[in-house]
Amino acid sequence: MKASIHTLGCKVNRAESEYIAQTLKENGFEIASCESGADIFIINSCTVTSTADKKTRQTVRHFKRLYPNSTVVLTGCYPQAFPEKASALEDADIVLGNNNNGELLHLLNEYLKDKKRIVEIRRHENGEGFAPCSLKSFGGRVRAFVKIEDGCNRFCSYCIIPMSRGRVRSKPLEELKSEAAALAAAGVKEIVLVGINLSAYGNGENTDIADAVRVCADTPGILRVRLGSLEPDHITDEIISKLSQINEFCPQFHISLQSGCDRTLKNMNRHYTAAQYALLCEKLREKFKGCTLTTDVMVGFNDESEDDFLQSLEFVKTIGFEKVHVFPYSERGGTAASRRGDSVSKAEKERRAAVMIDETEKLRRSFLENQEGKSFFVLAEAQAENGYLKGYTKNYIPVKFRGDKSEIGCEAQCEIICAGDEYCEAKRL
């Protein structure tokens, strides 16, 4: 039978979808693209915003409408956080949460016997272990997302994720070691470590995120190890020092900011001040010459005033991030912030987002233009048009250069000659 997996949301979901695909393939299923049609459609959902919920519901209905005789499976964060709402989505033949998506194959086989609808959503419990999610390949790609952490203990006032993901738990280092070796054998050259609160890896254990990087870096065949999104107050001087000693570590830090205004950060229940965040950026740029700092910024949170917004804007410009993901606040039911109401109009949120995006795009453009004439090693990841290869530098500059597809998975030393909108063009040295 053909199964198609549609992934919504973050890189953790992508890693989990890859694991679902791997399990199905090992049990005789063929994995097909969503566009080509299938017997089974699996929607791995996101619930970070109400818009994500809406997209999940639309996706479930879309596949059932196009393929009424297919089996539609809904899993992921949406049913985990809102089991009643997910259960009421009748177009989903099987509904399960992210806490028990390891049972998907079993539930699928049960459903196929008699076509009786199944709803099985197991709640997260304190003290639960890290669910199996070890990959053997990543769809033939040279860069793989490897999930090593799940859950979050932070309870930011705007966020539903602790409800959908449970508490912090970590993949054992021995399991990660075996997974990295399998991925290397499958042709993976770069590992991106991801998690719901990645920098909390090893919480309560005698290990930390730098140890996970070291395990992957010591794997023969792995050229690079990169980190996903990090929380600033978890990046200690000790971790910075340990990471700086790993040659394979990619000096690109995506450090969640959310706001550069202390009043807003306090209302968000974030665990740092703007000054502490700025000091961390200073330390990273000092220790990792040429590193890039990227981040997420929310505008229009709760009762953010115009002055609060301008403080945040000025902070972002002062840090000079190399790339910023900007998004307007969307009230999330079930969170502490949602109980306080939302005093910023949609139009004002959109205006602030447009202003912030305009300024951060200037920062991005300036950064890319300043790379012209500099040389980097680029890991070729895929073929582009007109005889080009595309890939990234260790500090995550997107680059395209002339080359043959046989060189995918190899590093090439290149000089950047022109900054484009999506990729910098480079010549080989």
Side-chain angles (χ1 to χ4, degrees), residues 30 41 71 122 133 161 189 197 260 272 366 390 405 429:
E30 178 185 344
F41 291 93
T71 299
R122 189 172 66 230
C133 188
I161 294 303
K189 302 298 182 182
N197 185 357
Y272 51 87
S366 176
K390 57 184 179 181
K405 66 178 181 180
L429 297 177

Side-chain angles (χ1 to χ4, degrees), residues 153-354:
N153 301 345
R154 301 182 72 84
F155 293 94
C156 297
S157 64
Y158 53 82
C159 187
I160 197 69
I161 294 303
M163 297 292 292
S164 66
R165 284 287 180 171
R167 303 292 78 77
V168 169
R169 48 210 187 275
S170 306
K171 178 177 288 183
L173 286 176
E174 281 303 311
E175 186 177 333
L176 176 59
K177 183 178 181 180
S178 297
E179 182 176 12
L183 289 169
V188 168
K189 302 298 182 182
E190 177 177 314
I191 286 176
V192 184
L193 298 177
V194 299
I196 298 301
N197 185 357
L198 178 63
S199 43
Y201 178 84
N203 183 48
E205 304 171 27
N206 189 29
T207 188
D208 59 37
I209 189 65
D211 296 324
V213 172
R214 171 60 72 185
V215 163
C216 296
D218 287 345
T219 302
I222 298 300
L223 303 180
R224 298 178 175 187
V225 187
R226 195 180 300 278
L227 294 175
S229 182
L230 303 167
E231 290 293 330
D233 50 311
H234 284 165
I235 309 173
T236 63
D237 290 346
E238 180 184 4
I239 287 176
I240 292 172
S241 177
K242 288 168 71 173
L243 290 175
S244 70
Q245 298 168 34
I246 303 174
N247 291 332
E248 295 81 2
F249 175 67
C250 295
Q252 176 233 345
F253 299 91
H254 188 89
I255 309 169
S256 182
L257 173 62
Q258 306 303 349
S259 176
C261 169
D262 284 344
R263 189 179 87 92
T264 304
L265 288 172
K266 184 176 181 180
N267 286 340
M268 290 177 167
N269 195 33
R270 302 292 286 170
H271 300 269
Y272 51 87
T273 64
Q276 289 169 335
Y277 189 104
L279 179 59
L280 172 62
C281 293
E282 183 180 325
K283 289 179 179 178
L284 292 173
R285 283 175 167 156
E286 176 63 30
K287 197 71 170 179
F288 301 89
K289 301 300 183 184
C291 73
T292 54
L293 304 180
T294 61
T295 196
D296 305 299
V297 174
M298 183 191 300
V299 298
F301 176 70
N302 215 257
D303 64 343
E304 180 190 63
S305 68
E306 178 67 8
D307 185 58
D308 295 336
F309 167 69
L310 292 175
Q311 284 186 46
S312 186
L313 177 64
E314 189 58 35
F315 182 82
V316 168
K317 291 162 65 176
T318 298
I319 296 297
F321 293 101
E322 281 75 24
K323 190 173 184 180
V324 183
H325 172 226
V326 180
F327 59 101
Y329 169 62
S330 173
E331 186 177 299
R332 197 71 190 87
T335 63
S338 69
R339 294 191 287 272
R340 300 203 297 258
D342 187 3
S343 63
V344 184
S345 70
K346 181 180 179 181
E348 179 59 18
K349 289 175 186 175
E350 291 174 350
R351 183 194 70 82
R352 293 178 189 178

Side-chain angles (χ1 to χ4, degrees), residues 40 176 200 389:
I40 302 157
L176 176 59
L389 295 173

